[in-house]
Amino acid sequence: MAFAWKAAGLTYNRYLAVAARVVRRSLKEEHRLQAERRGEMDLKFAKWENGRQGDNRNLASANASAMVEAAGQQSQQ
């Protein structure tokens, strides 16, 4: 017996994300806002050098700054 999410070509994680979003959107306004805030993620990372952990950085801001830096390097070439 095949699962419906497999037959639709979704991974299980993607299926869960879609189901969670549908449930959040079906809630009443005050509960929906609380649930949507819980659904947001804030990813952080740290670069390790010589066995020591560097500073924790927000992934979204680090990615944005790396994109700006890469664009600046491309325009100089």
Side-chain angles (χ1 to χ4, degrees):
M1 176 177 143
F3 295 104
W5 54 269
K6 275 188 179 181
L10 296 173
T11 64
Y12 187 66
N13 284 338
R14 184 67 185 145
Y15 163 73
L16 288 178
V18 170
R21 186 176 44 206
V22 168
V23 169
R24 279 197 232 54
R25 288 182 178 176
S26 68
L27 296 172
K28 291 184 179 177
E29 187 68 22
E30 65 273 4
H31 299 295
R32 183 182 59 80
L33 293 174
Q34 292 173 355
E36 283 180 357
R37 276 188 240 128
R38 281 194 306 267
E40 294 175 359
M41 291 188 295
D42 187 29
L43 299 176
K44 295 187 179 202
F45 74 98
K47 185 173 181 179
W48 288 73
E49 292 182 17
N50 299 325
R52 296 189 187 268
Q53 180 180 356
D55 295 331
N56 285 333
R57 295 180 56 198
N58 183 301
L59 185 61
S61 62
N63 189 34
S65 63
M67 296 281 282
V68 168
E69 183 179 315
Q73 288 177 355
Q74 285 181 351
S75 66
Q76 290 177 357
Q77 291 177 355

